[in-house]
Amino acid sequence: MMIIETLSTFPHMYDSVMGTSMMRIAQSKGILDFRAYDLRDWTHDRHRTTDDDPYGGGNGLVMKCEPIFEAFDAIVGEQANDSALPAPTVIFLSPCGRPFDEACVQELAIKERLLFVCGHYEGIDERAYSLADYVISLGDYVLTSGELASMVVIDAVVRKLDGVLGAEDGAACESFADGLLEYPQYTRPATYRGMDVPEVLLSGNHAKIEQWRHEQSLMRTARFRPDLLEKVELSASDLDFLQSLPDS
Ligand code: ADE
């Protein structure tokens, strides 16, 4: 069972995502143990303050490091209730982190325990990052909520855990599994509003279908993510196929 814990100022944000669909099923099957902690539980003033003005001036507030360190001690330190648990891999979410990708998902999916520390609005006092094993960015844009960013990472990791996806939903053919984008998918009806499902998919010829899917993956990747093609090993026939595509 993987343990995932989050430390943030709006722990209720997790209720809907973690209580629905696959994330709920992962917990009910005993594959995932999820706990969302409220950072305000480790503040000591009447207003339960977790942020303060930035040293050096500037706009906005900065998340204070003391509640984060105190929470960390309580959750994983010697005074933790359950010190028998494995030490967590600690993950901060920030636009200044490592870009999140499939390789990162794979690395995290084999850990026993993940602890996400989520900031809000602006930054977190830099000293808190000394606790981090990973700093992850979802991409080159800024979110207001670290919770939201952590939910994306949690979802991508949990769906990799054994038993979460059924065999038929398996992750084997999906985008990035072979370094390429996934081929297009269709289901009934065969014609809708004048749009036909490609003939080959109705042919029952599995070899032809496989070839068509692979070519579609190559085409899509060449069109939308040419950077990915640099990283995969292409066969001679893949290269011929790509050469044969019109430029656009
Ligand atoms: N928090 C705010 N923006 C973020 C981003 N792009 N990635 C991860 N965490 C964030």
Side-chain angles (χ1 to χ4, degrees), residues 79-94:
Q79 53 287 47
N81 289 335
D82 203 345
S83 50
L85 295 178
T89 298
V90 180
I91 303 165
F92 282 55
L93 284 310
S94 162

Side-chain angles (χ1 to χ4, degrees), residues 3-157:
I3 301 166
I4 297 186
E5 293 158 301
T6 60
L7 180 61
S8 73
T9 45
F10 295 99
H12 294 301
M13 284 184 74
Y14 294 96
D15 293 349
S16 133
V17 168
M18 298 310 292
T20 310
S21 184
M22 288 303 171
M23 297 302 113
R24 184 180 59 75
I25 291 169
Q27 292 166 83
S28 63
K29 282 188 177 171
I31 298 167
L32 170 67
D33 178 355
F34 177 76
R35 311 168 192 183
Y37 294 104
D38 188 344
L39 187 61
R40 292 184 205 280
D41 289 346
W42 288 279
T43 56
H44 304 289
D45 61 314
R46 205 158 53 88
H47 301 290
R48 313 221 304 156
T49 311
T50 55
D51 46 19
D52 203 345
D53 299 323
Y55 274 121
N59 289 332
L61 296 167
V62 174
M63 280 185 59
K64 294 160 67 61
C65 63
E66 305 111 293
I68 297 176
F69 278 99
E70 287 186 32
F72 187 85
D73 288 346
I75 297 165
V76 304
E78 276 169 15
Q79 53 287 47
N81 289 335
D82 203 345
S83 50
L85 295 178
T89 298
V90 180
I91 303 165
F92 282 55
L93 284 310
S94 162
C96 304
R98 160 181 169 184
F100 189 50
D101 64 6
E102 178 70 9
C104 193
V105 177
Q106 304 277 7
E107 281 174 39
L108 298 179
I110 56 174
K111 309 282 187 201
E112 290 180 279
R113 183 180 180 194
L114 304 177
L115 171 61
F116 290 85
V117 180
C118 308
H120 248 262
Y121 315 124
E122 28 346 73
I124 300 180
D125 186 307
E126 190 64 23
R127 290 167 290 190
Y129 285 94
S130 62
L131 298 170
D133 297 303
Y134 284 78
V135 183
I136 294 176
S137 168
L138 291 191
D140 294 340
Y141 48 83
V142 181
L143 302 169
T144 57
S145 147
E147 285 94 339
L148 197 54
S150 73
M151 283 187 254
V152 171
V153 176
I154 291 169
D155 184 283
V157 168

Side-chain angles (χ1 to χ4, degrees), residues 160-206:
K160 294 282 184 205
L161 302 180
D162 277 349
V164 174
L165 299 186
E168 67 280 12
D169 304 324
C173 297
E174 67 196 14
S175 291
F176 311 114
D178 59 0
L180 299 175
L181 300 183
E182 198 188 15
Y183 48 80
Q185 299 269 28
Y186 297 88
T187 185
R188 279 177 280 269
T191 301
Y192 186 67
R193 299 196 178 192
M195 294 178 284
D196 293 332
V197 172
E199 280 280 333
V200 61
L201 298 178
L202 312 176
S203 69
N205 182 331
H206 291 293

